């Protein structure tokens, strides 16, 4: 908790302003310029995704073959693709898909990984061994290759790509929580809670889990950027969103043959992938600097 003293003279009482940990964290975060830039970028894409029906003039599936491969103009701000579809409209609607996949896959990874990490770290012994070996097996494969294998088994679709990305990232959050639980279960407040007969479930979800949220929030923010890139990679390979869904990776795949003749067809979806990933990474770095006590005084 941070304290600040206010006063105009020695004859007046000193007023002390106390800041809670969350308010203090917000103040530190807002002082980090790069983190604020990341927050602005992410907020901009979220707003564009939510307001897509009101800020676009065309349907993202509308094809006008007479206008195919038109360069950016007042009529089509980002130009058109090989089927005459408005790229600006498809890019804005693509933000919905990418953010949806990013957020939901990370939430799924966090929920499953946190549960497994809590159980492994708290009970230890053979339970910890089985869960840890499960994490090791998943980590033994490169993430994108494992995601490709999962989608190949389940079938190409956006929903299956979401499942694959969530499964691939489970060990990241599971091992993070497990390490946190191993350090917390030896603390005095846990020992005291056990001494008065607090049940294991209450210990896990009322005492240990709340003290493990900070690293999860930081890693989850960084994980959204990774999930968006992985979704774009699966879409580029034809294993993610299927036509006519305007997913950024799929848009890049469909337009790669026009890189030289119509570069705008790949530039704008690529820039969107870059900016969203950059925004979440800057936010994640800012949150890490805010909540990590070793970095606060740097």
């Amino acid at each position: 908790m941070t304290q600040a003293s206010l006063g105009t003279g020695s004859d007046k009482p000193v007023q002390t302003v106390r800041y809670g940990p969350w308010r203090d964290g917000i103040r530190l975060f807002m002082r980090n310029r790069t983190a604020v830039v990341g927050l602005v970028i992410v907020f901009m894409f979220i707003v564009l995704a939510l307001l897509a029906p009101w800020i676009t003039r065309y349907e993202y599936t509308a094809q006008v073959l007479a206008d195919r491969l038109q360069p950016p103009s007042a009529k089509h701000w980002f130009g058109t693709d090989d089927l005459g579809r408005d790229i600006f409209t498809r890019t804005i609607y693509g933000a919905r898909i990418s953010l949806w996949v990013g957020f939901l896959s990370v939430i799924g990874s966090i929920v499953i990984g946190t549960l497994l990490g809590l159980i492994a770290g708290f009970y230890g012994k053979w339970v910890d061994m089985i869960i840890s070996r499960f994490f090791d097996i998943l980590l033994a494969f490169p993430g994108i290759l494992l995601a490709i294998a999962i989608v190949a088994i389940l079938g190409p679709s956006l929903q299956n790509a979401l499942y694959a990305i969530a499964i691939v990232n489970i060990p990241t959050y599971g091992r993070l929580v497990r390490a946190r639980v191993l350090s917390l279960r030896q603390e005095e407040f846990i020992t005291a809670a056990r001494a008065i007969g607090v049940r294991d479930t209450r210990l896990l979800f009322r005492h240990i889990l709340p003290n493990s949220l900070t690293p999860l929030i930081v890693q989850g923010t960084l994980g959204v950027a990774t999930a968006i890139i992985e979704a774009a990679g699966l879409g580029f390979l034809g294993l993610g969103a299927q036509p006519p869904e305007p997913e950024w990776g799929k848009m890049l795949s469909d337009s790669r043959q026009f890189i030289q003749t119509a570069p705008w067809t790949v530039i704008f979806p690529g820039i969107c992938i870059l900016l969203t990933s950059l925004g979440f990474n800057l936010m994640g770095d800012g949150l890490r600097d805010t909540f990590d006590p070793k970095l606060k005084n740097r």
Side-chain angles (χ1 to χ4, degrees):
M1 182 175 291
T2 303
Q3 297 183 356
S5 298
L6 302 176
T8 57
S10 59
D11 56 334
K12 294 184 179 181
V14 176
Q15 180 182 1
T16 302
V17 180
R18 295 178 180 271
Y19 298 104
W22 285 104
R23 185 176 178 182
D24 187 51
I26 293 174
R27 290 173 60 249
L28 291 174
F29 181 85
M30 297 306 293
R31 290 178 181 176
N32 189 326
R33 294 183 179 180
T34 56
V36 173
V37 170
L39 177 63
V40 171
I41 294 174
V42 171
F43 181 76
M44 178 189 70
F45 275 99
I46 291 176
V47 171
L48 289 175
L50 293 175
L51 300 180
W54 293 276
I55 62 178
T56 56
R57 295 181 293 176
Y58 307 95
E59 293 289 335
Y60 67 83
T61 57
Q63 301 180 16
V64 183
L65 296 180
D67 292 337
R68 64 187 304 270
L69 298 179
Q70 293 293 316
S73 63
K75 183 179 179 181
H76 300 285
W77 294 349
F78 288 0
T80 60
D81 61 11
D82 59 315
L83 297 177
R85 296 174 296 192
D86 184 67
I87 295 178
F88 175 77
T89 300
R90 292 180 61 79
T91 301
I92 297 301
Y93 276 94
R96 285 186 163 190
I97 295 177
S98 294
L99 292 175
W100 179 73
V101 171
F103 283 124
L104 288 187
S105 62
V106 167
I107 291 173
S109 298
I110 289 177
V111 171
I112 299 175
T114 298
L115 290 175
L116 293 176
L118 286 173
I119 295 171
F122 188 78
Y123 292 104
K125 298 181 180 179
W126 64 270
V127 177
D128 184 19
M129 183 187 68
I130 293 175
I131 295 177
S132 296
R133 297 297 79 77
F134 171 69
F135 291 159
D136 292 339
I137 291 172
L138 291 180
L139 291 172
F141 299 93
I144 189 64
L145 293 182
L146 181 57
I148 291 173
I150 294 173
V151 176
I153 295 172
L154 299 178
S157 71
L158 183 63
Q159 184 176 3
N160 291 339
L162 190 154
Y163 293 153
I165 295 170
I167 292 172
V168 165
N169 292 299
I170 286 174
T172 302
Y173 304 99
R175 297 183 72 178
L176 183 66
V177 173
R178 175 184 174 274
R180 184 65 175 163
V181 173
L182 288 175
S183 63
L184 285 174
R185 71 177 185 178
Q186 305 299 330
E187 296 290 337
E188 293 181 357
F189 72 95
I190 298 297
T191 304
R194 279 178 165 171
I196 62 176
V198 177
R199 295 182 178 180
D200 290 351
T201 53
R202 185 177 179 85
L203 273 175
L204 286 172
F205 295 103
R206 293 294 297 273
H207 299 282
I208 295 179
L209 180 58
N211 287 281
S212 306
L213 289 180
T214 296
L216 277 177
I217 293 173
V218 175
Q219 185 60 44
T221 305
L222 295 170
V224 174
T226 303
I228 290 175
I229 294 176
E230 289 174 344
L234 292 174
F236 186 85
L237 297 174
L239 299 175
Q242 300 299 304
E245 295 297 325
E247 196 273 327
W248 290 337
K250 183 61 177 173
M251 292 174 66
L252 290 176
S253 177
D254 293 339
S255 302
R256 64 184 184 274
Q257 58 183 317
F258 306 110
I259 291 179
Q260 295 183 344
T261 57
W264 57 86
T265 58
V266 296
I267 288 176
F268 293 110
I271 289 177
C272 288
I273 296 173
L274 170 65
L275 288 178
T276 51
S277 301
L278 176 64
F280 280 107
N281 280 323
L282 292 179
M283 278 184 59
D285 289 340
L287 290 173
R288 182 195 59 194
D289 295 344
T290 298
F291 291 115
D292 191 338
K294 298 179 182 179
L295 301 175
K296 285 184 178 180
N297 297 323
R298 288 189 178 183

